[in-house]
Amino acid sequence: MNSNPSPLPVRPIRRTQPRFPWHHFTMRFSSTPRGARLARRLAAERLYAWGIPYGSDAHDVLTLIVAELSANAVRHGRVPGRDFRLRLSVEGATLRVEVTDSRGESIPALTEPSDDLDAGRGLLLVAALTDRWGWYPSVDGPGKTVWAVLDIGLA
C-alpha cells in the first residue's frame, strides 16, 4: 500500500547554467584617494570571481577603467562628506562600469593632453580602451554618472 497520498508526480529538478550570465556589484567609497584605490582593488577581485582572470587583457583593461573613473570622481566630482558609487554589471559578454559622484556641474570631456601637465589623459584612455562611454545626470540625487562599456567575450 502506498503511504504517499500526493496525487502529483515528483519530477527531478533540472540544474542548468543560465544562457546569459548576469552579475552585479555596487558599493560606495569615500571620495578620497584611498577610496579610489579600494574601489579598484575590490573591482579586480569581483572581476576574478566572475571568471575574468587576473592578468588577462579584459581584467587589466577593466581594472584600469575603474581606476581612472574612480580617480576622476575623487579629483573632479568630490563634495566633502559625500561618497562616490561604483557599479559593475556583466550581462552576457558585456561589462558596464559606472561611477557616480556628487558634482553635476563638473562635466566630463575629452581634452588634448598637455606636455606640461601630468593629468588629463584618463578619459582619453577610457575612450580608447572601451567600446563606448558617456555620462548622464544622476537620477537619485545631485551629481552625475560616468559609464563605460566593454565587450569582454565571455558568452
Side-chain angles (χ1 to χ4, degrees):
M1 176 171 199
N2 186 354
S3 63
N4 185 357
S6 173
L8 300 174
V10 177
R11 294 184 182 152
I13 297 173
R14 289 187 177 172
R15 298 191 190 277
T16 59
Q17 287 291 91
R19 184 170 177 199
F20 301 103
W22 184 84
H23 302 285
H24 181 76
F25 170 81
T26 302
M27 186 172 279
R28 291 188 174 276
F29 298 91
S30 65
S31 291
T32 62
R34 184 177 185 182
R37 286 190 306 271
L38 182 58
R40 178 182 52 82
R41 288 185 180 183
L42 288 178
E45 288 184 19
R46 182 58 42 199
L47 294 171
Y48 175 75
W50 291 346
I52 305 169
Y54 286 103
S56 67
D57 288 343
H59 191 279
D60 292 347
V61 166
L62 290 165
T63 303
L64 177 61
I65 298 308
V66 170
E68 290 297 335
L69 294 183
S70 297
N72 283 353
V74 170
R75 183 174 210 162
H76 304 291
R78 182 176 184 273
V79 171
R82 297 211 178 159
D83 297 337
F84 74 90
R85 181 180 62 217
L86 170 66
R87 177 176 291 155
L88 303 174
S89 57
V90 176
E91 188 168 350
T94 302
L95 193 135
R96 183 177 179 98
V97 176
E98 295 182 355
V99 174
T100 302
D101 64 46
S102 298
R103 291 202 46 210
E105 73 278 4
S106 178
I107 306 302
L110 295 176
T111 58
E112 286 296 319
S114 169
D115 290 336
D116 300 334
L117 301 174
D118 290 335
R121 293 170 179 81
L123 283 179
L124 289 173
L125 283 171
V126 171
L129 295 173
T130 60
D131 294 311
R132 58 195 176 281
W133 76 279
W135 72 276
Y136 58 88
S138 180
V139 295
D140 58 356
K144 67 185 169 303
T145 298
V146 182
W147 57 268
V149 174
L150 180 67
D151 179 8
I152 54 176
L154 285 180

